[in-house]
Amino acid sequence: MDVLYFAWLRERIGAPRERVETEATTVAALVAELAARDDRHAAALSDLSAVRVAVDQELADWDAPLSGAREVAFFPPMTGG
């Protein structure tokens, strides 16, 4: 699946996207796999209260299933004004 990173997450990880082969069944399990990869991923995903997620371009929760998902995106909370 494609994993996309936006804003400061992209800067900390050092890439806007990556292709990931995963056995994760939920977003939370994917985050755990990514954080275990290296220090950059671990630092970027260490405070999930500052991160939002979308699965196939739909906002999702951390326990959202990944079965059949093609894309997961991580981004900071959006603000409006």
Side-chain angles (χ1 to χ4, degrees):
M1 85 176 48
D2 288 323
V3 179
L4 311 176
Y5 305 104
F6 293 93
W8 57 263
L9 289 150
R10 177 183 60 233
E11 293 170 13
R12 288 186 186 167
I13 290 171
R17 70 173 36 219
E18 61 185 322
R19 184 89 176 142
V20 174
E21 297 294 327
T22 181
E23 297 295 323
T25 59
T26 65
V27 172
L30 176 63
V31 168
E33 282 185 16
L34 293 170
R37 287 179 140 194
D38 58 45
D39 290 342
R40 293 173 302 139
H41 285 83
L45 299 169
S46 65
D47 181 7
L48 295 183
S49 69
V51 178
R52 299 295 177 263
V53 64
V55 176
D56 289 335
Q57 300 183 6
E58 295 282 333
L59 287 176
D61 293 322
W62 300 111
D63 60 350
L66 292 179
S67 178
R70 292 175 291 156
E71 177 185 277
V72 176
F74 296 104
F75 50 92
M78 297 172 268
T79 60

